[in-house]
Amino acid sequence: MESLLSLPWFDFTISGVVIGSIYALMAVGLALIFGVANLINFAHGSVFTVGSYIGWTCAVALGLPLWATVLVVAAAGGIVGALIELLAIRPLNHQSRIAPLLATIGVGLILDQIVHIIFGANPRALPVSLPNLRFSIGSGTIGAIDITIFVTGVISALALYLFLFHSKLGMAVRATAQDGDAARQMGVGINAINMTVFGIAGALGAIAGLLVGIYYNSIDPNASFEIMLKGMVAIVIGGMSNVPGAIGGGLILGLIESYGIALFGASYRDLFAFAVLLLMLLLRPNGLFARAHAREAEPMTGTFVTRAKPVRIPAWALVAGAVLIALVPALGQPYLTQVMTNALLYALAAMSLTLVAGTLGLISIGHAALLAVGAYASALLTMAGLPVALGLVLAAAITAVLGAALTYPAFRLRGHYVAIGTLAIGEIVALVILNWTSLTHGSMGLYGIPPLELFGIPLFSTNASYWFVLALVIVFALLQMRLLSSHLGRTWRAIREDTIAAETYGVASNYYKGLAFGFAGFVAGISGAVSAHQFSYINYDTFNLLTSVLILTIVILGGLGNVTGAIVAAIIVAGLPEVFRTLAEYRMLFYGMALLLLIRFRPQGLMGSD
Amino acid sequence: MTGKPLLVLDRINSFYGPVQVHFDLSLTVPEKAIVCLLGGNASGKSTTMKTILGLKTPQSGHVLLEGRDITGAPTAEIVRAGISVVPEARRLFGEMTVRENLLMGAYVRADKAAIAEDYDRVLELFPRLRERLRQKAGTMSGGEQQMVAMARALMGRPKLICMDEPTMGLSPLFVDRVLELIATVNKTGVSVLMVEQNASMALRIADYGYVLQSGRIALEGPARDLLADPRIRTAYLGETIE
């Protein structure tokens, strides 16, 4: 107790409030957009990053004073936000509601890549000269930076309040958030309102980026995703579209993190955020500040994009295709064979995701976690002396069980919340791997994972591992197609179309969701495990959000629920960029554009959905 | 029918995908009249409202306001041209004050002085709202909310108010009140097009009625005649009119 009391609680509170006000700035934008456009803007973190780099350009490269920097950053952020609405969101007006969410993921990747191209991949310093003030209060201190950030936050909040409550446009924004159809009937132009909130959100997000850069004297081109998640946690705490709630949620999250760090250490920081997120989704999905009669959780089921009849491919063509793919090593190009092996491993992962996202309708943005579980399980078991064959099977089984168990909390979620929930679960898995040092060696990762071999037969030649992975793809593809045409497949689709209706017919939907995640976990686990033996080194970041997004892109390209589509799309998406080296360099740009264009022009995928 | 035609729907055919909702739908709302469009579920009533407001563009046919073609025009323009709406289930902005709800009704207008004038006029018409200006609209009773919805529609200084099932979900006592309100609004010179399931009640205050069945006008005539027509009853029992 003595040591707890002696911690500098005042300082932790101050830093909690300061970081919290930055989260609040992020969250307000997300809440406005969610309210008006019913959309989680996954590009919001990238606007933050863009803001921090524009801030660097103004303050460091051009030497502008701080106030001018803030104004330029806000204006630029506003323009970026408005452009996102105009170019990526507005064209999707008549598509299903999850389509724009996926489009924002694509936009985020593109913005991040642009920052990478212009400024390089390394963090840089953002020194801003502030008066060297420090106020001592009791045992703690407040510095000029703390005050600057807090005051900027308060001014932004005030400006937003004046806009929302004392301007005609602001009133229309609130009206649209409450009832978009009614607002439309009053003659409110929804496009203009959407663009306005995207602009405001962009401005606030960019300012947040600048402030974080000043606070840590460092800006990082890879910060987008994490900060977006923090903003999202804050709006989940505050109640999604509740703007004052978002501010409260941001401050609460900042304080939780700060105190959490005080008690448990900095490496657990993000774990708190995601634990809070999951708890909120499960216990109070309408937010902390919602009244008892608050709005029902979003009635959107997993229904996703226009479904189109799947393209039926005759069996002889499938066999011919498989034979052609099997003949790739005959070309005598080991690099191509390696690339294809990798693509087929993605195909396994995509088959797994297309089952849950397509057939069952639960859009998961945390699928890489299943690969990570499989990879670590097989690596650890075989490093402890088990034969690789056994390691693979056990790892897949472990992933199946963990996959179903870990995603269980997300089963009761619907629509956008599934995406948020699975994302949080995925991040928690990565953080557990990072922090469970005694088992996983933490950030060091695992070295010297035994190479592939089956019952003493080595499979580590390029060709052998290629054929092995191809065999896995074929076996599991046949199995999955068999399942889809069975009673089980029909039940999964029924749950996707209308969970409540399915339950009234006696379908225990959680059981069937568990089965789907179990099967999907097994396949994804195999994919991750084989990858681990291929790479011989893995760490907590080997299977990250980009992996998840890539798998999701593959699944959409292939057509949701379509097994052969997933395989073909995996070869296109994971294979092509590696074959053309220039594409590999701009990989994120490629994925982002692919995702964006797909959703815009061929949401049903290449091969149609099932 | 008397009076100059204000709103004319001329042979509208509309579709949702392959499904046809309207078959050569034609109707006329004269100036200063109350016209009701009767129909059961899935008869195409709501689509009619959407078509008038430009929220749904018909495949063929025209919507004319005072002779001007407004088919598929932006809603803002249609509202500005003089059509306001009381949506189904009122659809107030529940978290906003009564005053803000009224101002939303004037959203498309820029004439500040005239808006202030209309604001006072509307509050004179519905004095009960004056005491409630700062109250959140969502916390009011159903009847009061209906009042706000009508006041909001009037704030657009409309020539025509379209009402989508104004009596839906109200107790019989309130239904009478709402009918009175509609009559009050109409007396200020505004035409009313009322879409209703509740035929006998709607016809009591209407001048003229149309019966919409599966997207076609099955019957029309002066309200008094329709009220006496035994076929009206069968229409609402879902039977086909011979």
Side-chain angles (χ1 to χ4, degrees):
Chain A
M1 282 315 286
E2 187 66 14
S3 64
L4 270 187
L5 284 173
S6 65
L7 282 172
W9 287 110
F10 181 81
D11 287 345
F12 282 121
T13 306
I14 293 301
S15 80
V17 169
V18 168
I19 295 296
S21 28
I22 286 163
Y23 292 162
L25 277 178
M26 290 298 289
V28 162
L30 286 171
L32 279 172
I33 291 174
F34 189 84
V36 168
N38 217 318
L39 160 72
I40 294 165
N41 178 16
F42 275 84
H44 201 48
S46 304
V47 178
F48 168 99
T49 304
V50 168
S52 66
Y53 277 87
I54 290 172
W56 179 88
T57 309
C58 293
V60 179
L62 302 175
L64 295 183
L66 183 59
W67 63 266
T69 302
V70 172
L71 289 182
V72 173
V73 165
I79 291 170
V80 171
L83 284 178
I84 294 176
E85 192 280 329
L86 184 67
L87 300 176
I89 309 301
R90 192 174 299 186
L92 303 177
N93 258 348
H94 298 292
Q95 290 200 16
S96 72
R97 285 156 67 190
I98 200 118
L101 182 150
L102 297 172
T104 62
I105 296 180
V107 170
L109 291 177
I110 293 169
L111 286 178
D112 282 357
Q113 180 87 72
I114 290 173
V115 170
H116 270 244
I117 292 171
I118 300 176
F119 295 97
N122 296 320
R124 49 177 82 198
L126 177 50
V128 171
S129 57
L130 284 169
N132 194 12
L133 288 176
R134 289 213 79 85
F135 300 102
S136 292
I137 298 174
S139 60
T141 54
I142 300 180
I145 285 180
D146 302 323
I147 294 170
T148 309
I149 290 175
F150 187 72
V151 168
T152 313
V154 171
I155 291 175
S156 308
L158 268 179
L160 184 65
Y161 173 83
L162 286 177
F163 167 73
L164 285 178
F165 287 88
H166 293 276
S167 77
K168 192 171 161 180
L169 192 57
M171 186 168 76
V173 167
R174 285 185 295 134
T176 308
Q178 281 172 45
D179 191 335
D181 287 336
R184 209 171 280 132
Q185 293 180 344
M186 304 292 121
V188 174
I190 297 299
N191 285 339
I193 298 296
N194 278 346
M195 195 181 222
T196 306
V197 297
F198 268 87
I200 293 172
L204 295 178
I207 291 177
L210 171 67
L211 293 180
V212 169
I214 296 173
Y215 189 66
Y216 292 115
N217 188 18
S218 163
I219 54 175
D220 185 347
N222 308 306
S224 308
F225 175 57
E226 193 192 308
I227 191 74
M228 201 291 294
L229 285 180
K230 296 301 170 61
M232 203 170 70
V233 177
I235 64 168
V236 170
I237 295 175
M240 297 313 276
S241 62
N242 181 340
V243 172
I247 296 175
L251 290 173
I252 290 172
L253 180 62
L255 286 171
I256 290 178
E257 276 191 11
S258 191
Y259 293 142
I261 291 169
L263 293 173
F264 303 102
S267 63
Y268 286 94
R269 173 189 201 134
D270 295 342
L271 207 51
F272 298 120
F274 298 118
V276 169
L277 176 61
L278 261 192
L279 281 178
M280 287 298 302
L281 283 180
L282 294 177
L283 303 177
R284 292 205 58 125
N286 288 320
L288 216 51
F289 310 114
R291 267 173 255 115
H293 63 85
R295 206 183 310 175
E296 286 254 315
E298 206 181 333
M300 183 173 79
T301 56
T303 325
F304 170 42
V305 281
T306 352
R307 301 211 168 248
K309 270 224 166 103
V311 181
R312 294 276 171 226
I313 303 168
W316 64 265
L318 285 178
V319 173
V323 169
L324 275 183
I325 294 174
L327 288 176
V328 164
L331 294 174
Q333 303 210 6
Y335 176 69
L336 180 67
T337 311
Q338 263 171 23
V339 166
M340 284 294 287
T341 311
N342 197 36
L344 290 177
L345 286 170
Y346 271 110
L348 276 175
M351 280 157 50
S352 159
L353 180 61
T354 212
L355 179 70
V356 289
T359 310
L360 193 59
L362 296 173
I363 303 292
S364 158
I365 319 188
H367 219 64
L370 295 177
L371 300 185
V373 170
Y376 268 87
S378 191
L380 289 170
L381 288 171
T382 51
M383 286 164 81
L386 245 58
V388 173
L390 195 55
L392 289 179
V393 175
L394 279 177
I398 289 171
T399 316
V401 173
L402 273 181
L406 284 174
T407 44
Y408 180 75
F411 288 175
R412 46 186 283 194
L413 304 176
R414 286 186 290 179
H416 288 124
Y417 293 121
V418 178
I420 307 177
T422 50
L423 205 150
I425 292 165
E427 288 309 297
I428 289 175
V429 168
L431 288 166
V432 167
I433 291 175
L434 179 61
N435 284 299
W436 194 349
T437 321
S438 61
L439 183 71
T440 64
H441 296 224
S443 55
M444 304 263 299
L446 297 176
Y447 289 93
I449 303 166
L452 275 181
E453 49 113 349
L454 278 191
F455 315 112
I457 309 161
L459 289 178
F460 34 82
S461 81
T462 311
N463 291 356
S465 43
Y466 176 74
W467 282 316
F468 175 61
V469 175
L470 179 61
L472 287 176
V473 169
I474 292 172
V475 167
F476 283 107
L478 290 175
L479 186 58
Q480 189 163 333
M481 289 191 230
R482 179 76 194 80
L483 283 181
L484 291 184
S485 60
S486 72
H487 173 73
L488 187 58
R490 275 192 301 281
T491 312
W492 281 334
R493 283 190 288 270
I495 292 172
R496 172 189 76 202
E497 293 307 325
D498 195 332
T499 309
I500 294 172
E503 283 183 345
T504 53
Y505 281 96
V507 173
S509 70
N510 277 355
Y511 170 73
Y512 285 96
K513 287 177 181 176
L515 277 184
F517 269 96
F519 183 78
F522 196 91
V523 178
I526 286 264
S527 170
V530 173
S531 305
H533 296 289
Q534 286 271 94
F535 302 160
S536 84
Y537 166 73
I538 51 170
N539 69 13
Y540 73 99
D541 199 36
T542 306
F543 307 98
N544 54 19
L545 177 80
L546 192 61
T547 317
S548 292
V549 171
L550 180 56
I551 301 171
L552 189 58
T553 310
I554 292 171
V555 165
I556 294 168
L557 177 63
L560 280 162
N562 191 320
V563 179
T564 35
I567 299 168
V568 172
I571 293 171
I572 294 174
V573 175
L576 270 190
E578 307 301 327
V579 177
F580 303 103
R581 279 312 188 99
T582 33
L583 273 182
E585 206 171 313
Y586 301 114
R587 195 180 280 122
M588 291 204 301
L589 200 62
F590 175 73
Y591 297 157
M593 289 303 290
L595 192 56
L596 213 52
L597 293 175
L598 262 178
I599 291 162
R600 172 83 179 82
F601 296 107
R602 197 157 169 84
Q604 71 275 42
L606 284 181
M607 322 259 299
S609 49
D610 195 359
Chain B
M1 257 205 295
T2 53
K4 240 171 73 188
L6 176 65
L7 177 82
V8 174
L9 265 59
D10 183 25
R11 283 165 295 155
I12 301 277
N13 285 290
S14 37
F15 292 76
Y16 284 110
V19 182
Q20 185 160 6
V21 187
H22 287 146
F23 298 84
D24 278 330
L25 174 76
S26 296
L27 63 81
T28 302
V29 182
E31 278 178 359
K32 298 187 170 122
I34 300 181
V35 171
C36 66
L37 179 63
L38 305 170
N41 287 327
S43 59
K45 288 175 307 176
S46 296
T47 310
T48 311
M49 291 301 237
K50 283 189 184 156
T51 307
I52 295 171
L53 279 171
L55 294 168
K56 169 124 186 82
T57 309
Q59 188 130 326
S60 67
H62 298 278
V63 183
L64 306 167
L65 183 69
E66 298 179 304
R68 185 158 80 92
D69 193 340
I70 56 165
T71 321
T75 308
E77 197 182 298
I78 293 173
V79 175
R80 215 173 282 129
I83 300 182
S84 290
V85 64
V86 176
E88 189 179 338
R90 300 177 289 277
R91 303 293 280 270
L92 295 182
F93 304 109
E95 293 291 312
M96 289 164 61
T97 63
V98 170
R99 179 172 176 277
E100 287 175 325
N101 268 278
L102 298 188
L103 291 179
M104 279 308 295
Y107 182 75
V108 296
R109 298 171 58 188
D111 44 346
K112 277 195 173 160
I115 293 174
E117 217 173 87
D118 285 341
Y119 186 68
D120 287 335
R121 196 169 56 87
V122 163
L123 290 179
E124 255 163 57
L125 203 59
F126 303 109
R128 293 232 344 237
L129 297 185
R130 197 184 286 280
E131 314 145 22
R132 306 287 179 99
L133 286 172
R134 295 186 157 276
Q135 188 174 338
K136 280 190 181 170
T139 63
M140 304 174 88
S141 73
E144 288 169 333
Q145 290 197 12
Q146 192 64 52
M147 233 180 254
V148 178
M150 286 190 198
R152 181 175 68 176
L154 281 174
M155 285 298 292
R157 196 176 268 195
K159 300 177 177 111
L160 168 72
I161 298 184
C162 295
M163 299 190 186
D164 201 344
E165 307 220 14
T167 64
M168 192 177 73
L170 295 179
S171 70
L173 207 68
F174 267 133
V175 168
D176 285 344
R177 273 294 287 141
V178 166
L179 294 180
E180 268 171 48
L181 288 177
I182 296 172
T184 313
V185 165
N186 178 239
K187 280 200 194 93
T188 64
V190 179
S191 295
V192 174
L193 174 63
M194 183 174 29
V195 168
E196 260 298 349
Q197 295 211 41
N198 193 335
S200 59
M201 233 140 18
L203 288 170
R204 262 183 10 228
I205 59 161
D207 301 305
Y208 200 83
Y210 293 87
V211 176
L212 189 61
Q213 200 173 54
S214 307
R216 293 182 171 83
I217 297 294
L219 198 63
E220 65 174 287
R224 204 174 303 119
D225 299 356
L226 288 183
L227 207 49
D229 196 320
R231 287 176 300 177
I232 286 288
R233 282 186 56 83
T234 42
Y236 286 94
L237 294 171
E239 292 159 22
T240 318
I241 296 169
E242 300 301 328

